[in-house]
């Protein structure tokens, strides 16, 4: 046999495509590790949110911790992407969307936390492109009755939405004789609105829950809560194997939103659009963005030269290379909340991968309670928490069940 014939008979090793489904134990482990990091960093940033601290310092510290913690894991794989899936943002009071100040703007950089503030803290970690994002709403100091109602309502609405994502095959009442029918997007909105109304709150319009995928925080499936005029409706049905970024935002106002005067967009995300940039500085900034963040969101303050990057970002936004996240607030100037939970739908049921601490039922109290039997039944559906039971109470008091909390 000639050398050529021998080479032709040799089998070429097949390249195995990586399995990033959550049925793969390596994939779910990476999600869980990223979630653990996100939860720990959220806890640290929350501790630092005291009167006098600047919002900028909280955001910077959060990002510093996310980078440091993700660098400690999976060290053997030098090529693996690790880091920030969502930059640390802190949105005070009536600001709805994630907000991170610029270091180069003195007025923004000097904004401080005040006693009585309602802060929405959001951040996320990613390992191998698999994101775990988390958000919590905290009250600085002693909560007022109005603030307590907002926090309690947001907790229950979030718990309800997570359970409403249960696929029919996993629902406890599903049988061959009588298959469970998944709720429609209209019925989901009705249920969530009932809970919010119980506590004198409204759902913020067009808050959207997306599926999460590798290098993607806005997947193909979505649930749109209280869709505004002209906003695309919900798409796709929850299935076993999905990972969802469950996002809920409530307000003591009307639920309508507006752009916040004097607040420029500081949060961006690279798109798939191709566009020939004219400025050399723009091309350099795009290279930095692609290398550092890929398709994950980033804050302008995270770029090496924030002042130089500003002009490049303007050109990239105009060319649709970057999508900017406008700073939106409550139309009535009322206080708003936001919770974000990363949840997986496994063959064994719903699992919270990254979630804020359990509701502190001693600190946040109300004489209002949920009495609707259908809603209480939804809140009784089982949801597992991957992390150890957590609580806002000192000493780690045991977490109560969602239905029991709602009925208190």
């Amino acid at each position: 046999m000639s050398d050529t014939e021998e080479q032709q008979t040799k089998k070429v090793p097949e390249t195995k495509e990586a399995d990033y489904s959550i049925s793969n134990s390596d994939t779910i482990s990476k999600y869980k590790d990223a979630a653990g990091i996100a939860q720990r960093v959220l806890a640290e940033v929350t501790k630092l949110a005291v009167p006098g601290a600047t919002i900028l310092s909280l955001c910077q510290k959060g990002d510093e911790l996310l980078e440091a913690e993700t660098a400690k894991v999976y060290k053997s794989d030098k090529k693996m992407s690790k880091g920030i899936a969502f930059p640390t943002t802190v949105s005070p009071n009536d600001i709805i969307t994630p907000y991170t100040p610029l270091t180069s703007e003195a007025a923004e950089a000097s904004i401080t936390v005040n006693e009585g503030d309602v802060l929405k803290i959001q951040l996320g970690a990613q390992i191998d492109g698999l994101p775990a994002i988390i958000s919590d709403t905290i009250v600085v100091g002693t909560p007022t009755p109005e603030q307590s109602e907002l926090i309690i309502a947001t907790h229950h609405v979030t718990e309800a939405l997570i359970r409403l994502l249960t696929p029919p095959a996993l629902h406890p009442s599903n049988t061959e004789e009588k298959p469970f029918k998944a709720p429609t997007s209209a019925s989901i909105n009705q249920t969530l609105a009932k809970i919010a109304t119980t506590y004198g709150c409204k759902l913020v319009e067009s808050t959207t829950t997306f599926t999460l995928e590798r290098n993607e925080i806005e997947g193909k499936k979505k649930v749109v809560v209280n869709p505004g005029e002209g906003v695309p409706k919900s798409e796709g049905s929850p299935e076993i194997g999905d990972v969802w970024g469950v996002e809920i935002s409530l307000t003591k106002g009307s639920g309508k939103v507006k752009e916040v005067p004097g607040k420029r967009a500081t949060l961006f995300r690279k798109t798939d659009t191709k566009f020939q940039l004219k400025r050399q500085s723009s091309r350099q900034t795009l290279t930095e963005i692609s290398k550092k963040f890929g398709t994950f969101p980033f804050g302008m303050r995270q770029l090496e030269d924030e002042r130089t990057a500003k002009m490049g970002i303007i050109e990239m936004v105009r060319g649709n290379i970057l999508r900017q996240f406008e700073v939106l607030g409550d139309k009535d100037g009322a206080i708003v909340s936001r919770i974000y939970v990363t949840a997986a739908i496994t063959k064994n049921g719903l699992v919270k991968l990254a979630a804020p601490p359990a509701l502190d039922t001693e600190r946040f109290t109300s004489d209002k309670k949920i009495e609707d039997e259908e809603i209480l039944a939804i809140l009784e559906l089982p949801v597992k928490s991957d992390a150890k039971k957590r609580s806002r109470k000192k000493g780690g008091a045991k977490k109560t069940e969602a239905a029991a909390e709602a009925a208190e």
Side-chain angles (χ1 to χ4, degrees):
M1 184 183 289
S2 68
D3 290 344
T4 304
E5 287 174 325
E6 189 176 350
Q7 286 174 4
Q8 287 175 345
T9 59
K10 284 183 179 179
K11 289 185 178 179
V12 179
E14 291 182 9
T15 305
K16 239 185 177 182
E17 193 174 332
D19 178 10
Y20 287 105
S21 69
I22 60 172
S23 59
N24 180 1
S25 59
D26 288 342
T27 298
I28 199 69
S29 291
K30 289 170 186 174
Y31 268 119
K32 289 178 177 180
D33 289 339
I37 290 169
Q39 288 177 163
R40 292 195 297 273
V41 174
L42 175 66
E44 289 302 313
V45 175
T46 299
K47 286 179 191 174
L48 298 172
V50 296
T54 65
I55 287 178
L56 176 61
S57 69
L58 299 180
C59 294
Q60 290 173 326
K61 185 62 176 178
D63 288 355
E64 179 188 317
L65 290 171
L66 287 169
E67 293 281 14
E69 291 299 308
T70 52
K72 295 176 183 177
V73 297
Y74 298 91
K75 287 183 176 181
S76 60
D77 191 338
K78 303 298 181 184
K79 293 181 180 179
M80 184 183 290
S81 167
K82 297 179 294 181
I84 299 174
F86 202 98
T88 307
T89 61
V90 180
S91 310
N93 304 316
D94 62 328
I95 295 180
I96 298 167
T97 50
Y99 169 71
T100 180
L102 298 176
T103 56
S104 59
E105 300 284 345
E108 287 195 18
S110 61
I111 297 173
T112 58
V113 174
N114 297 303
E115 185 82 15
D117 277 351
V118 175
L119 304 178
K120 283 75 67 184
I121 304 172
Q122 183 161 319
L123 52 86
Q126 63 91 3
I127 294 173
D128 201 8
L130 302 170
I133 300 171
I134 188 171
S135 176
D136 194 14
T137 299
I138 66 169
V139 176
V140 182
T142 304
T144 66
E146 183 183 50
Q147 291 171 338
S148 287
E149 288 174 354
L150 179 68
I151 298 297
I152 295 168
T154 308
H155 168 77
H156 292 318
V157 169
T158 305
E159 292 295 324
L161 179 54
I162 291 170
R163 287 160 173 79
L164 288 167
L165 294 175
T166 304
L170 293 177
H171 199 279
S173 66
N174 186 61
T175 63
E176 285 187 16
E177 297 77 23
K178 193 176 180 182
F180 176 76
K181 208 171 182 181
T184 63
S185 56
S187 65
I188 288 174
N189 272 289
Q190 287 170 3
T191 299
L192 303 184
K194 276 184 186 177
I195 299 172
T197 302
T198 299
Y199 296 94
C201 300
K202 292 282 180 70
L203 302 170
V204 171
E205 66 177 358
S206 305
T207 304
T208 306
T209 286
F210 288 95
T211 46
L212 301 177
E213 300 167 8
R214 186 169 182 256
N215 297 318
E216 181 56 72
I217 67 166
E218 294 181 355
K220 295 174 183 176
K221 298 178 186 180
K222 61 183 177 181
V223 175
V224 183
V225 174
N226 187 20
E229 191 176 341
V231 173
K233 295 182 179 179
S234 301
E235 292 179 20
S237 302
E239 297 174 288
I240 294 172
D242 287 348
V243 177
W244 286 82
V246 181
E247 183 171 357
I248 283 294
S249 191
L250 266 62
T251 176
K252 275 292 184 175
S254 65
K256 300 293 182 183
V257 304
K258 67 173 183 180
E259 286 191 26
V260 178
K263 295 286 185 191
R264 62 181 292 172
T266 61
L267 200 62
F268 304 87
R269 186 183 175 205
K270 192 166 77 69
T271 70
D272 294 328
T273 302
K274 306 296 181 186
F275 181 79
Q276 187 61 46
L277 295 168
K278 295 178 181 179
R279 298 168 63 94
Q280 174 66 18
S281 60
S282 300
R283 293 193 291 272
Q284 289 174 345
T285 300
L286 178 58
T287 299
E288 182 185 357
I289 291 167
S290 300
K291 186 177 178 181
K292 282 186 176 178
F293 314 112
T295 56
F296 288 112
F298 65 93
M300 195 188 299
R301 62 175 174 76
Q302 293 172 275
L303 297 171
E304 193 172 327
D305 189 335
E306 186 182 300
R307 292 183 185 276
T308 302
K310 281 181 184 178
M311 290 307 297
I313 283 178
I314 290 172
E315 185 181 2
M316 282 184 271
V317 169
R318 285 175 180 165
N320 293 319
I321 291 176
L322 291 183
R323 168 188 162 195
Q324 66 180 18
F325 294 79
E326 304 293 348
V327 182
L328 302 177
D330 183 87
K331 192 175 181 180
D332 308 313
I335 53 171
V336 295
S337 63
R338 183 174 67 255
I339 284 182
Y340 192 113
V341 174
T342 299
I345 305 177
T346 73
K347 62 182 181 180
N348 297 319
L350 288 161
V351 180
K352 293 181 191 174
L353 298 175
L359 177 68
D360 185 342
T361 55
E362 290 182 8
R363 185 168 179 236
F364 298 102
T365 60
S366 172
D367 56 0
K368 299 170 183 176
K369 63 180 182 179
I370 298 169
E371 297 178 333
D372 187 299
E373 292 299 328
E374 288 186 12
I375 292 174
L376 290 173
I378 291 169
L379 292 172
E380 284 174 358
L381 292 172
V383 173
K384 298 175 185 177
S385 179
D386 176 64
K388 292 178 180 178
K389 293 181 177 181
R390 302 173 307 279
S391 173
R392 286 188 178 98
K393 298 177 185 179
K394 290 181 180 178
K398 189 176 180 181
K399 180 180 176 181
T400 57
E401 292 298 325
E405 292 170 343
E408 284 181 355

